[in-house]
């Protein structure tokens, strides 16, 4: 409270209101200038008089750093979405750009042309790491109430940056280094799993494992696109690849045994057919041999008969011209051939017949012939 | 210097207090509600820098984006009394921030509320469906029904009558629920009332025109009551409970074993068939050949006989003579002994060059072996 007093040392009367005097302010200002002048040629920080200047320098550096938060570059496969005071203002393409310093301006730089990948049922990890299975994701029920193990890869990319950044709330996926707020985090994984299980659930296990694999991948792709079209994710689902479709490991052996059984069946049938291919020609050859032998016999018999007949007819012809003479001749010729080679007895009469050693010994001479 | 500084500091402090109370930003992903002393003043939906009256007005911000909530994994019972472990999720968005603020206040409250709504609808719907439907083709329909049912907010008849235009309010949905079902299940299977039925219902709550046992339920859209809309509900996973999964594996194994032994048996059967057929064919071939051979041999013999007979018939007696002589040649060999009579014609010149003209026929010798 200012009170009017006239006397006393001015320096002692601190409680009196004193209007500011020009000299004092001038002095303080001059003081500053003195300090500035004195510190100018010197390195800041030396001498006690430069502390205010030090603050100025530090303040200046802070300001520069602050302004520098607005500098950014956009790579060739990237785009940047820029917000000012939270409102979207523009999209920047490749190059060197500037926006209002943070937190007034804000940018999100996103690779837009690169194909990204989402793995379902497994994690391939970094280069060289062993693939890990995620059974809770990969085992699912088929239409005929069997269980199958499906590993799939979804390939997608960002096509609408505004939707991608601002339309979908998502917790992100730290495994894939996807920050919160990006729809390719949990949202995309949910959509993928839902689509895969729905498509598999409409088919039998044998179809899924064999003939309809292509169709399944296409159906999953179409289903994912259908679901995502309601969400404004700014993503384009490009392909769905079925990495591995197998029976669950618990029953793998039984499935492999079916393959083996089929191979055995094939082999057995092939062996039987080989037997057929061997036996039939062989039998036919044998049959031909049999008939040919009979043919030969037939021809032989006929030829033999013909020969004998013709021989006889020839002789007969000769005989017919002079029968008696021919007969006689034939008879004598035969005797000539027969008689030399056999034992003979020429006797007067038949009386000695009982005494002949008919068993082959020489005959005993008996007293002269006649009874 | 202190004198110049005090007002400066005061100014800075004042600015630091007042400025944040005056200026605020609405992000691209946000909606704002501005209230003055608790009373709603306005919505802020456009993003950017905004101003409000400091201290008196306050802003509450909400997420404008599509929001996501996980349904807790639950074991649900199907119509055919099978258990499925179902993992679901739902997406919703805030359509009316003021209403949302008044009823649900914050997103956490909304999340819990949406989970409740969706879970009860899903449980009721699954209880009306067969397990095979939930797993397969009709899954899409099931999820659609749950989504639609989640977006219906049930009110009673008194509230319905108080709507603008009463029971004829265009956003009022009147469903006829079938008999023998109750609660959520009845509402899931309810059908919209026809205009005639609606007229009857307007006259009295339970008109006789309706099938006995059926009920009437009144719904307004969820967005009109809670300011949110459920965009979709999807079943992410529908799996067998762990104990059922094991028996499924056993069944799969048994089925594969059956197929495998079937294949092996088929192989053995085809093998036997083929071999038997081959053996049969071989027999036929050989028997036919043998038959042909016998026939040929017979023909040969017969033809031979015919040829010979034809020739020999010309002079049978001469043949007899000639053939017998040939037989003598072969039959009578070294160890034969014959007794010949001197009276034989062969020896007629033996003692007399002019021969004994008593041409006794040559005697047939008695051969002694």
């Amino acid at each position: 409270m200012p009170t009017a007093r006239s006397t006393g040392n001015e320096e002692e009367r601190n409680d009196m209101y004193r209007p500011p005097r020009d000299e004092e302010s001038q002095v303080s200002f001059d003081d500053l200038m003195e300090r500035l002048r004195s510190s100018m040629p010197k390195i800041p920080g030396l001498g006690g008089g430069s502390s205010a200047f030090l603050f100025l320098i530090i303040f200046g550096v802070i300001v520069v750093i602050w302004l520098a938060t607005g500098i950014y570059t956009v790579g060739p496969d990237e785009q940047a979405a820029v917000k000012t005071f939270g409102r979207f203002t523009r999209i920047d393409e490749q190059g060197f750009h500037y926006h209002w310093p943070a937190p007034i301006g804000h940018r999100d730089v996103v690779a837009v042309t690169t194909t990204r990948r989402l793995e379902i049922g497994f994690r391939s990890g970094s280069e060289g790491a062993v693939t890990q299975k995620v059974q809770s994701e990969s085992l699912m029920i088929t239409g005929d109430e069997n269980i199958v193990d499906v590993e799939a890869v979804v390939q997608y990319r960002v096509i609408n940056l505004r939707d991608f950044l601002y339309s979908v709330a998502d917790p992100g996926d730290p495994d894939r280094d996807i920050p919160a707020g990006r729809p390719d985090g949990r949202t995309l994984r949910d959509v993928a799993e839902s689509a895969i299980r729905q498509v598999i659930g409409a088919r039998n296990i044998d179809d899924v494992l064999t003939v309809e694999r292509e169709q399944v991948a296409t159906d999953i792709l179409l289903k994912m696109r259908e679901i995502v079209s309601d969400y404004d994710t700014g993503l384009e689902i490009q392909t769905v690849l079925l990495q591995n479709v197998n029976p669950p490991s618990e029953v793998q052996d039984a499935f492999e045994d079916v393959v083996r059984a089929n191979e055995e069946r094939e082999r057995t049938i092939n062996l039987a057919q080989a037997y057929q291919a061997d036996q039939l020609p062989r039998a036919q050859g044998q049959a031909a041999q049999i008939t040919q032998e009979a043919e030969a016999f037939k021809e032989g018999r006929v030829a033999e008969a013909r020969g004998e007949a013709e021989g006889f007819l020839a002789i007969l012809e000769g005989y017919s011209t002079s029968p008696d003479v021919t007969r006689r001749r034939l008879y004598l010729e035969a005797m000539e051939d027969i008689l030399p080679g056999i034992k003979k007895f020429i006797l007067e009469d038949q009386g000695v017949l009982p005494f002949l050693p008919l068993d082959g010994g020489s005959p005993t001479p008996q007293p002269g012939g006649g009874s | 210097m202190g004198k110049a500084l005090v007002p400066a500091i005061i100014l800075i402090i004042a600015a630091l207090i007042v400025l944040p109370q005056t200026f605020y930003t609405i992000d691209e992903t946000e909606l704002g509600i501005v209230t003055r002393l608790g009373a709603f003043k306005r919505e802020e939906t456009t993003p950017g820098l905004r101003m409000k009256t400091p201290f008196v007005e306050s802003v509450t911000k909400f997420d404008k984006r599509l929001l996501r909530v996980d349904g807790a994994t639950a074991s649900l019972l199907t119509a055919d009394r099978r258990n499925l472990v179902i993992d679901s999720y739902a997406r919703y968005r805030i359509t009316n921030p003021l209403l949302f603020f008044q009823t649900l206040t914050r997103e956490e409250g909304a999340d819990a509320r949406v989970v409740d709504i969706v879970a009860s609808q899903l449980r009721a719907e699954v209880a009306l469906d067969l397990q095979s439907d939930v797993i397969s083709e009709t899954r899409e329909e099931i999820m659609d029904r749950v989504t639609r049912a989640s977006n219906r907010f049930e009110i009673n008849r008194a509230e319905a009558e108080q709507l603008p235009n009463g029971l004829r309010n265009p956003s009022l949905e009147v469903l006829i629920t079938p008999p023998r079902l109750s609660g959520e299940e009845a509402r899931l299977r309810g059908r919209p009332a026809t205009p005639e039925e609606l007229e009857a219902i307007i006259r009295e709550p339970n008109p006789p025109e309706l099938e006995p046992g059926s009920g009437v339920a009144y719904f307004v859209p969820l967005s009109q009551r809670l300011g949110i809309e459920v965009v979709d509900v999807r079943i992410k996973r529908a799996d067998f409970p762990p104990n059922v999964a094991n028996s499924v594996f056993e069944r799969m194994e048994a089925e594969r074993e059956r197929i495998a032994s079937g294949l092996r048996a088929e192989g053995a059967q085809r093998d036997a068939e083929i071999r038997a057929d081959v053996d049969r064919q071989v027999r036929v071939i050989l028997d036919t050949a043998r038959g042909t051979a016998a026939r040929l041999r017979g023909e040969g013999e017969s033809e031979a006989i015919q040829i010979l007979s034809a020739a020999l018939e010309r002079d049978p007696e001469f043949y007899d003579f000639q053939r017998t002589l040939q037989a003598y040649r072969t039959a009578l060999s070294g160890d034969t002994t014959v007794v010949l009579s001197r009276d034989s014609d062969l020896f007629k010149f033996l003692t007399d060059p002019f021969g004994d003209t008593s041409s006794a026929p040559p005697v047939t010798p008695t051969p002694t072996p």
Side-chain angles (χ1 to χ4, degrees):
Chain A
M1 284 301 192
T3 46
R5 292 204 199 152
S6 51
T7 56
N9 213 336
E10 287 168 82
E11 284 139 19
E12 290 173 3
R13 303 276 178 141
N14 298 356
D15 56 342
M16 260 190 9
Y17 172 75
R18 280 183 286 151
R21 287 188 238 168
D22 288 325
E23 318 90 73
E24 278 184 357
S25 51
Q26 270 176 3
V27 165
S28 56
F29 182 75
D30 283 345
D31 231 6
L32 264 169
M33 292 309 290
E34 269 299 329
R35 284 171 192 161
L36 271 171
R37 263 189 245 111
S38 62
S39 66
M40 277 297 213
K42 290 189 199 148
I43 299 164
L46 293 177
S50 58
S51 59
F53 187 66
L54 188 61
F55 282 127
L56 211 66
I57 297 293
I58 292 172
F59 185 69
V61 167
I62 290 172
V63 167
V64 167
I65 292 173
W66 180 61
L67 288 174
T69 57
I71 300 172
Y72 60 101
T73 52
V74 178
D77 57 344
E78 293 174 326
Q79 279 181 341
V82 178
K83 293 190 290 191
T84 309
F85 287 118
R87 182 172 64 87
F88 170 79
T89 46
R90 67 178 188 273
I91 291 185
D92 287 327
E93 302 285 344
Q94 174 182 5
F96 196 79
H97 298 280
Y98 188 79
H99 64 66
W100 288 98
I104 299 169
H106 176 84
R107 67 184 176 278
D108 289 293
V109 183
V110 172
V112 291
T113 54
T114 43
T115 296
R116 300 154 190 249
R117 122 202 191 115
L118 169 68
E119 294 166 340
I120 306 283
F122 70 107
R123 301 287 180 269
S124 58
S126 45
E127 309 288 326
V130 178
T131 304
Q132 294 240 326
K133 277 199 71 63
V134 182
Q135 283 211 324
S136 59
E137 280 178 9
S138 63
L139 291 178
M140 57 190 76
I141 305 180
T142 61
D144 52 351
E145 300 190 17
N146 285 314
I147 297 176
V148 73
D149 191 306
V150 178
E151 292 176 8
V153 173
V154 177
Q155 289 178 330
Y156 64 98
R157 65 191 179 118
V158 177
I159 53 170
N160 185 320
L161 194 56
R162 284 188 75 172
D163 280 346
F164 181 68
L165 292 172
Y166 310 133
S167 298
V168 177
D170 190 290
D173 192 343
D175 291 339
R176 289 183 285 142
D177 297 324
I178 292 180
R182 300 288 166 89
D184 58 343
R186 207 89 83 69
T187 305
L188 191 65
R189 183 179 288 284
D190 287 345
V191 169
E193 280 202 54
S194 178
I196 292 173
R197 281 156 187 269
Q198 192 172 348
V199 168
I200 297 283
R203 283 180 162 71
N204 294 328
I205 189 167
D206 286 305
D207 292 339
V208 168
L209 289 173
T210 56
V211 294
E212 291 203 10
R213 259 181 88 143
E214 291 280 321
Q215 192 59 38
V216 165
T218 312
D219 283 355
I220 294 172
L221 178 64
L222 294 175
K223 177 60 63 178
M224 282 188 73
R225 284 186 179 161
E226 191 187 313
I227 299 172
V228 153
S229 66
D230 289 334
Y231 288 2
D232 297 331
T233 55
L235 295 174
E236 182 200 14
I237 317 286
Q238 293 175 299
T239 50
V240 171
L241 303 167
L242 290 180
Q243 194 93 340
N244 261 320
V245 181
N246 286 320
S249 49
E250 288 87 339
V251 297
Q252 192 105 21
D253 284 341
F255 274 78
E256 280 169 10
D257 193 49
V258 169
V259 175
R260 275 198 298 270
N262 198 37
E263 285 170 4
E264 282 172 28
R265 183 188 70 101
E266 291 287 313
R267 205 176 57 237
T268 308
I269 293 177
N270 282 339
L271 285 176
Q273 284 169 341
Y275 174 76
Q276 178 182 45
D278 173 68
Q279 289 291 311
L280 286 183
R282 204 185 282 261
Q284 276 155 354
Q286 216 174 329
Q289 199 180 353
I290 291 173
T291 47
Q292 274 168 21
E293 272 174 14
E295 283 273 9
F297 172 84
K298 172 180 171 181
E299 278 176 32
R301 274 309 275 120
V302 166
E304 192 187 334
R306 203 169 276 139
E308 198 179 331
E310 278 165 19
F312 175 74
L313 288 175
I315 297 175
L316 186 64
E317 204 180 310
Y319 170 74
S320 307
T321 48
S322 42
D324 286 336
V325 174
T326 311
R327 185 175 280 259
R328 192 110 190 120
R329 179 175 65 81
L330 289 173
Y331 171 72
L332 290 173
E333 275 173 3
M335 291 301 116
E336 271 181 342
D337 287 335
I338 296 165
L339 291 181
I342 60 175
K343 291 204 195 98
K344 14 179 201 294
F345 294 96
I346 305 170
L347 299 169
E348 286 278 340
D349 57 40
Q350 304 289 343
V352 295
L353 199 59
F355 301 107
L356 279 175
L358 294 174
D359 57 355
S362 49
T364 40
Q366 294 289 326
S371 50
Chain B
M1 175 160 146
K3 299 290 189 234
L5 229 40
V6 167
I9 289 171
I10 291 172
L11 213 62
I12 289 169
I13 291 172
L16 287 172
I17 293 173
V18 171
L19 282 178
Q21 277 286 321
T22 317
F23 293 101
Y24 61 96
T25 57
I26 298 281
D27 189 78
E28 278 288 333
T29 62
E30 289 172 335
L31 294 166
I33 298 273
V34 176
T35 54
R36 177 183 290 235
L37 302 171
F40 170 76
K41 283 300 288 181
R42 62 183 180 280
E43 259 181 36
E44 293 286 2
T45 51
T46 332
L49 189 66
R50 295 274 170 275
M51 279 180 60
K52 65 178 175 72
T53 318
F55 308 107
V56 169
E57 287 184 335
S58 55
V59 64
T60 318
K61 298 189 211 174
F62 301 97
D63 204 326
K64 193 165 76 174
R65 298 176 295 182
L66 190 66
L67 303 170
R68 184 188 170 284
V69 73
D70 260 322
T73 309
S75 184
L76 300 180
L77 199 61
T78 64
D80 47 348
R81 315 205 63 74
R82 319 279 291 280
N83 260 313
L84 282 176
V85 176
I86 292 184
D87 199 349
S88 58
Y89 70 84
R91 294 187 194 276
Y92 70 99
R93 69 168 87 247
I94 299 173
T95 51
N96 186 329
L98 174 64
L99 202 49
F100 180 84
F101 180 59
Q102 288 167 342
T103 55
L104 297 170
T105 316
R106 290 249 54 98
E107 277 94 342
E108 294 79 33
D111 277 1
R113 190 64 182 269
V114 171
V115 167
D116 278 344
I117 294 170
V118 166
S120 68
Q121 295 295 342
L122 192 58
R123 177 179 297 273
E125 176 61 48
V126 168
L128 291 168
D129 293 304
L130 299 174
Q131 179 181 267
S132 48
D133 289 335
V134 177
I135 294 171
S136 64
E137 287 287 349
T138 51
R139 198 150 150 166
E140 194 70 44
E141 280 174 43
I142 290 173
M143 293 189 282
D144 275 346
R145 276 201 284 267
V146 174
T147 306
R148 271 183 279 125
S150 301
N151 272 318
R152 285 198 293 249
F153 187 94
E154 186 163 3
I155 56 176
N156 57 32
R157 190 190 163 94
E159 288 175 282
E161 283 168 341
Q162 280 164 25
L163 295 171
N165 244 335
L167 294 177
R168 294 204 178 83
N169 184 299
S171 52
L172 177 73
E173 212 182 326
V174 179
L175 290 187
I176 312 292
T177 59
R180 287 180 299 282
L181 286 179
S182 62
E184 299 288 10
E185 295 180 13
R187 278 130 184 79
L188 279 163
R189 290 291 181 266
R191 59 169 176 79
T194 63
E196 296 82 29
E197 285 170 335
L198 183 60
E199 289 304 316
I201 290 164
I202 289 172
R203 282 194 298 270
E204 56 170 300
N206 258 318
E209 284 89 337
L210 298 180
E211 194 187 333
S214 52
V216 183
Y218 307 88
F219 298 93
V220 290
L222 191 67
S223 55
Q224 279 187 14
R225 286 298 156 121
L226 300 181
I228 58 175
E229 180 198 352
V230 175
V231 172
D232 76 349
V233 177
R234 295 204 72 86
I235 295 174
K236 194 167 78 168
R237 292 181 194 164
D239 288 327
F240 293 126
N243 56 330
V244 175
N246 284 330
S247 65
V248 169
F249 290 142
E250 281 170 24
R251 176 176 56 74
M252 287 173 75
E253 236 176 332
E255 191 183 345
R256 292 296 129 179
E257 277 169 17
R258 183 182 58 76
I259 294 174
S261 42
L263 286 173
R264 291 193 170 100
E266 189 189 327
Q269 185 198 3
R270 290 289 316 280
D271 174 63
E273 277 174 11
I274 291 174
R275 280 175 199 264
D277 186 59
V278 167
D279 291 342
R280 179 190 61 81
Q281 281 187 50
V282 163
R283 257 202 317 281
V284 164
I285 289 171
L286 290 180
D287 287 348
T288 310
R290 289 192 192 107
T292 309
R295 176 177 61 78
L296 287 172
R297 277 179 219 273
E299 280 173 7
E301 290 284 3
S302 147
E303 221 178 299
I305 290 170
Q306 276 177 11
I307 291 171
L308 263 181
S309 310
L312 304 181
E313 286 301 312
R314 297 267 285 273
D315 195 337
E317 195 280 323
F318 177 67
Y319 175 70
D320 183 29
F321 167 70
Q322 207 255 348
R323 191 65 183 79
T324 310
L325 287 182
Q326 206 175 319
Y328 292 162
R329 275 193 179 88
T330 43
L332 303 178
S333 62
D335 43 359
T336 312
T337 311
V338 304
V339 178
L340 302 167
S341 166
R342 204 182 81 68
D343 298 325
S344 149
D345 186 66
L346 187 63
F347 303 115
K348 66 182 177 189
F349 292 126
L350 209 57
T351 47
D352 180 6
F354 293 102
D356 188 358
T357 45
S358 64
S359 49
V363 94
T364 320
T366 323
T368 38

